[in-house]
Amino acid sequence: MAVRKLKVGCAGLGRMGARHALNFLNRTPRAELVAAFTPDANEVAWARRELEPSGVVIYTDYEEMLKHPGLEAVVVATVTTAHAEEAIKAIHADKHVLCEKPLSTSVEVSQSVVEAAAKRPHLKVMCGFSRRFDKSYREAYERMDAGGIGRPSVFRSQTCDRLDPSGFFVAYAEFSGGIFVDCNIHDIDLSLWFLGQDSVVKSVVAMGICAVQPELRKHKDVDNGVGVVEFWNGKMAYFYSSRMMAAGQHDMTEIIGTEGKLAVNANPMGSLVEMYESTGVRREIPHDYYGRFMDAFVTEANEFTAACLDNSRLPFKLSGAVQAVAIGCALQESLNSGKKIHFDETGRRIEQPKL
Amino acid sequence: MAVRKLKVGCAGLGRMGARHALNFLNRTPRAELVAAFTPDANEVAWARRELEPSGVVIYTDYEEMLKHPGLEAVVVATVTTAHAEEAIKAIHADKHVLCEKPLSTSVEVSQSVVEAAAKRPHLKVMCGFSRRFDKSYREAYERMDAGGIGRPSVFRSQTCDRLDPSGFFVAYAEFSGGIFVDCNIHDIDLSLWFLGQDSVVKSVVAMGICAVQPELRKHKDVDNGVGVVEFWNGKMAYFYSSRMMAAGQHDMTEIIGTEGKLAVNANPMGSLVEMYESTGVRREIPHDYYGRFMDAFVTEANEFTAACLDNSRLPFKLSGAVQAVAIGCALQESLNSGKKIHFDETGRRIEQPKL
Amino acid sequence: MAVRKLKVGCAGLGRMGARHALNFLNRTPRAELVAAFTPDANEVAWARRELEPSGVVIYTDYEEMLKHPGLEAVVVATVTTAHAEEAIKAIHADKHVLCEKPLSTSVEVSQSVVEAAAKRPHLKVMCGFSRRFDKSYREAYERMDAGGIGRPSVFRSQTCDRLDPSGFFVAYAEFSGGIFVDCNIHDIDLSLWFLGQDSVVKSVVAMGICAVQPELRKHKDVDNGVGVVEFWNGKMAYFYSSRMMAAGQHDMTEIIGTEGKLAVNANPMGSLVEMYESTGVRREIPHDYYGRFMDAFVTEANEFTAACLDNSRLPFKLSGAVQAVAIGCALQESLNSGKKIHFDETGRRIEQPKL
Amino acid sequence: MAVRKLKVGCAGLGRMGARHALNFLNRTPRAELVAAFTPDANEVAWARRELEPSGVVIYTDYEEMLKHPGLEAVVVATVTTAHAEEAIKAIHADKHVLCEKPLSTSVEVSQSVVEAAAKRPHLKVMCGFSRRFDKSYREAYERMDAGGIGRPSVFRSQTCDRLDPSGFFVAYAEFSGGIFVDCNIHDIDLSLWFLGQDSVVKSVVAMGICAVQPELRKHKDVDNGVGVVEFWNGKMAYFYSSRMMAAGQHDMTEIIGTEGKLAVNANPMGSLVEMYESTGVRREIPHDYYGRFMDAFVTEANEFTAACLDNSRLPFKLSGAVQAVAIGCALQESLNSGKKIHFDETGRRIEQPKL
């Protein structure tokens, strides 16, 4: 006798895709990874070694994978520029979809995924905002929701990557959508979660500098950015993103309420070890986002699987992904125009501030 | 095509047994939980609900389970008093064994397990010192081993349980072997790991009090104990155990070397959330050992499985479990006699200190 | 034989003035508090009790105090609106001056103090930016100056007051200059110290909300504000100020460089005590700025005294106080106009962003 | 008009004596340092430079200093071997005395100071247990006293010095009384404060090693020691002292009660600065006890002065200093004999444990 398992295919086996594939293979008891797709020869070789022995069929054509017998769900973890098209194709092929963030760097394209999904309401289509599955963020949300900080009012959040002197981020910036869309998208999504998914933006402004990678300017990007978002409900959020942290990844968040404050990961740590040395007391911190959010990705895989199998609700709506991209794009525009951007109570863009 | 998986049976489905069963079922990709044994009706009911649907066969007779077709390995997680007998039976039935700590509260009985295992060297027999699999302890060991603190010299370690006002620990003390055998056994095992498995004890002394549970005295036990162990190699260890921590579980360790110190979990935390409230800044800490060591048990299950399947070495020797029990028993004896106990360089007990 | 001591008079004996008076009386060995002025009857009573027995002469007329025989230096710690006038009078009376911050909430009036001082270069005239004397800020500056974080690039700083439900801050806002001038003035001054006193502002923008004190709007103020300042030298700063911290005062700063980051008081604490309780681990934090900066005020008094007696250089220039007020006022204007404000490379205000 | 000030003389101007002298000179408003004594030429030179210009008369003969006109109080901060004799001489000369710890490394000699003081009850005679004046220890005591941790039961405390490779501690050990008398005397005194000054010792045991300074054995001392003390009131204390901390001074204490725990300085820090570097997050810690307790010495000077001037009670009794030395000496004896030492309920030494 066997428990019914969700048959999953994974599109994309790069850095994040490989992790998703292994999580669905080994750490998602109710799922069965049956197929994987990648057009990349190195990734195919990796898959033959790591996935095929467990019975996963490897595809180099995405549409072929969609035809895999019995396939029920697809994880889209290819390059950002392919997310939306592949997600829509999977929806049309009647598959559940877990799509890596962002759906697209374009608001319109992101919206097209939402519309495709809306036509197949029996499908579970989710954008992979991994922090929504993080144990600490969830605990913070529950404490806030239980009234622990009064009325949440100011939201501060940062996504700070470790300095990568290889120049990777310069090339990456061409398609990433910019630092506010690529990095702060997580913080923006969190701000909507904590301040209310129905919060309407009143104004946004962003500023930034190229402290270590001046070449980023040619892609209209920066390596350190600060953005501020004001909402019509009297709340506000501010964000910081950086590509030059010496110590490692430091993503942190504060939710400041009228009666208290919650801080998530204000003091990053890679383990519970502290070293007392002649130079003082030291601890290491995670080097990348996966070191920080590894368990959240496993939870994401398990909850997505459960929602598909049990036809239960996903923990958040797909449309939020469009909201987040819209705010990220507005911040990126403000960064580049040097101007503050204003909206009216309906979210329509206006020229002058409405006080 | 399928990957070969280790067929595992779990004996005991109490608090820890149920966790082992679920870990082998869901979080150990190379293992397959095929059988489970418990004589307890409530645990059987739980197993029918949680394990049977996944194909696990439930037994109420341990020896029957050992005959389960194809069974290769057994996890012994019943009450401590049954550990040794069940481990030996499994060895005689030619099964690999992962036995919960301690093998026994008696040195002689513990030794009998080691001897049974020694006659079947092709079997993997391991005592479940879960902290050996903890990421932070391993990191500390690697740093020490790489010379990060010079020569390790003083070892301090504590196992402190959350206060349980139910009186559970009083009844439990009848068979636990006492606080130094039950709690500090982990710290003692860690001291041997960090100071050298071949360290020979020179003297031990222990003192303790009953601060919250005076009835413990009838079982020759205490709720707070301090033990000190001196080794012939010029190193020393000291231990603290307690059953009355208000805030939760706090197990921590310091390894003090001639050039530095490593601290593991000096600052316990249950998550990455900090709360700023009118009473100050607060964080919660794990309420029990499982909240602290959950991941270590999963690693334990996976590494035990890999050693069985690949015939590779276990990370530590079974005989260490006897050493640890011997030290724990000597501390417990010192607690009750009020006397310090001395040994010569060969580990033989002597009456007077040898200076 | 006696050491020569600086004869000091203190103007204003309110919250801060009384502290200055006591610091000069008891904790500044090279100074002698000889006079004090206050027009307030309660404060006079306090001074008769606390200061007069030590030989301090109490005045209710500021100009009379200036004529006190032998008086050499004046501490101006009256209400902000009186700072500039009293400072200038003291300068004209040929006294050294330590003036509480800000010199004025008006840039022009602040500048007039600088000009008065410039005409008497033998006098020491200092604005009391107390954080410049804080041991931790100084340590951070030295580490940065020694190259510890590469090139400082992004500066983040916050001044967060404990929630005062009495409504005090509403009345106070009428004359405070607003949250960016009153609170963030310290952070702004620090940003100029750390990023370079010659940094020229390129643009400023501010946003804010009234989360707990809606009546602040009538004084064009907010209880939570975020401001961003971009400099022409490729550096940037962002600030947060709040009047609603539940846990207490939390002023903190980060200096982010190309090779590292320095954090000052990221983890506030009122003492070295941690409490382990049934609700977790807790510590208290200072309730007000004086709990955090008490020692800095003592250092300030001693260094000001030494500069006067030894005719040595003050640790920073008076003109910086005008720069800080100018930035604070621009942020406050941006908050109220809803617009970003731009400047050219010479610091001249311009209408459109110069990219 | 002048406030009446206590006329103080300081005996000994070595490391600690110079600090006392400067504290009484500059940071004790109600005291006037009028005299200082040292037989050491270098210290005399220092005193001529640092103290004489402020009117302090320098003596090279202790008894001469005692005759200084108007002298009211003496700080004894010479070498430990001189403490008792000088304290007694000062008492006989009718001076108040603040004597550095320990009164003597001998219980009998310590007791003779108590007896001398008892004959002049109008004099204030205090042993300089500086930690009793530390803000954090006082806060911990108040929290405990207010019931914050239920009934205090287990006391853990350590005094850990920074590694000094110069060999200083070897020579020092000849007269220090040993690590338990020299270092842990503070922890022992604290244990009596927190567990009750009337606690009667039931047994003591100590063990130790020479990890970095093997030559210490010739003075019957060690560089790392652990001691355990059991009291007849059902409470216990355990102590650790070390001379080989790489990171700096780390003195810390835990008071463990039936309903909570207080930790003092579990996380040492030299300032509020944290450094984020490529090797992780780092902070420095104080290098010596003065870096940790500087403010406590100032409070000590001020409170001693106030007690003398106002004839108010000192914060603790002189006899406690004898209790602490007695426990320290017993621990040192146990260390060297290898035996546990037992006492009956009246504090009389007995051969066998009384259970």
Side-chain angles (χ1 to χ4, degrees), chain B residues 193-337:
Chain B
W193 184 25
F194 280 86
L195 297 184
Q197 205 74 43
D198 56 355
S199 301
V200 177
V201 174
K202 186 177 180 186
S203 67
V204 308
V205 72
M207 280 142 108
I209 59 170
C210 290
V212 281
Q213 303 273 22
E215 319 84 49
L216 283 169
R217 285 312 300 158
K218 73 180 175 218
H219 299 309
K220 296 184 170 297
D221 208 1
V222 291
D223 51 28
N224 282 270
V226 172
V228 190
V229 177
E230 191 181 13
F231 297 99
W232 276 103
N233 57 14
K235 299 173 182 178
M236 68 185 302
Y238 66 111
F239 307 113
Y240 173 52
S241 49
S242 177
R243 304 283 196 193
M244 69 174 198
M245 290 296 114
Q249 188 82 17
H250 189 189
D251 303 341
M252 72 90 72
T253 298
E254 284 183 341
I255 309 105
I256 304 160
T258 51
E259 295 166 26
K261 183 179 87 168
L262 292 159
V264 179
N265 200 34
N267 290 292
M269 58 194 60
S271 74
L272 297 169
V273 176
E274 287 171 290
M275 295 163 266
Y276 284 65
E277 304 165 317
S278 60
T279 50
V281 184
R282 182 169 67 93
R283 67 176 191 278
E284 294 188 354
I285 75 172
H287 282 188
D288 59 22
Y289 75 98
Y290 204 67
R292 166 68 181 88
F293 291 108
M294 196 174 342
D295 288 343
F297 284 101
V298 173
T299 303
E300 181 183 81
N302 279 277
E303 294 198 5
F304 172 73
T305 296
C308 295
L309 287 172
D310 305 338
N311 193 24
S312 56
R313 284 179 62 173
L314 290 166
F316 52 94
K317 288 186 185 168
L318 187 62
S319 56
V322 183
Q323 286 173 274
V325 167
I327 294 174
C329 289
L331 286 167
Q332 201 75 21
E333 178 187 334
S334 172
L335 168 73
N336 282 300
S337 70

Side-chain angles (χ1 to χ4, degrees), chain B residues 151 203 207 211 267 338 340, chain D residues 151 156 203 207 211 267 338 340:
Chain B
R151 192 172 62 257
S203 67
M207 280 142 108
N267 290 292
K340 194 174 167 186
Chain D
R151 191 172 63 255
R156 174 170 91 83
S203 67
M207 282 142 106
N267 291 292
K340 194 174 168 186

Side-chain angles (χ1 to χ4, degrees), chain B residues 2-228:
Chain B
V3 170
R4 157 154 157 60
K5 297 195 173 188
L6 185 75
K7 290 190 190 316
V8 177
C10 185
L13 296 173
R15 191 173 61 159
M16 195 59 234
R19 286 163 174 168
H20 277 303
L22 292 173
N23 284 344
F24 275 94
L25 183 64
N26 292 327
R27 304 185 66 181
T28 313
R30 299 183 69 193
E32 186 184 356
L33 186 75
V34 296
F37 151 74
T38 175
D40 180 280
N42 286 330
E43 292 174 19
V44 167
W46 176 86
R48 295 229 180 278
R49 202 168 60 241
E50 301 293 332
L51 305 180
E52 211 172 56
S54 297
V56 181
V57 180
I58 316 300
Y59 294 88
T60 55
D61 181 308
Y62 179 65
E63 303 195 22
E64 285 303 309
M65 184 183 79
L66 288 182
K67 295 178 196 156
H68 184 93
L71 186 74
E72 297 168 279
V74 174
V75 180
V76 176
T78 45
V79 290
T80 294
T81 45
H83 286 176
E85 186 186 342
E86 289 175 359
I88 291 171
K89 280 183 180 167
I91 292 166
H92 289 167
D94 218 43
K95 310 301 179 198
H96 303 295
V97 177
L98 166 50
C99 182
E100 257 303 317
K101 66 91 210 170
L103 296 180
S104 161
T105 59
S106 145
V107 178
E108 293 68 29
V109 175
S110 298
Q111 181 60 27
S112 69
V113 181
V114 175
E115 282 160 17
K119 290 181 187 143
R120 307 251 179 160
H122 63 287
L123 294 179
K124 305 297 170 189
V125 183
M126 186 167 92
C127 180
F129 284 121
S130 46
R131 296 184 199 178
R132 295 253 191 170
F133 299 92
D134 177 64
K135 174 188 158 195
S136 294
Y137 276 109
R138 288 181 162 189
E139 180 191 324
Y141 188 86
E142 281 156 26
R143 291 186 185 282
M144 181 194 80
D145 203 43
I149 58 166
R151 192 172 62 257
S153 302
V154 178
F155 186 88
R156 173 170 92 84
S157 199
Q158 72 177 34
T159 294
C160 293
D161 288 340
R162 196 181 196 208
L163 178 66
D164 178 345
S166 73
F168 166 78
F169 281 120
V170 176
Y172 182 69
E174 186 169 359
F175 302 107
S176 74
I179 201 165
F180 291 106
V181 175
D182 185 53
C183 283
N184 280 141
I185 194 81
H186 285 294
D187 306 291
I188 296 166
D189 176 61
L190 291 172
S191 75
L192 292 167
W193 184 25
F194 280 86
L195 297 184
Q197 205 74 43
D198 56 355
S199 301
V200 177
V201 174
K202 186 177 180 186
S203 67
V204 308
V205 72
M207 280 142 108
I209 59 170
C210 290
V212 281
Q213 303 273 22
E215 319 84 49
L216 283 169
R217 285 312 300 158
K218 73 180 175 218
H219 299 309
K220 296 184 170 297
D221 208 1
V222 291
D223 51 28
N224 282 270
V226 172
V228 190

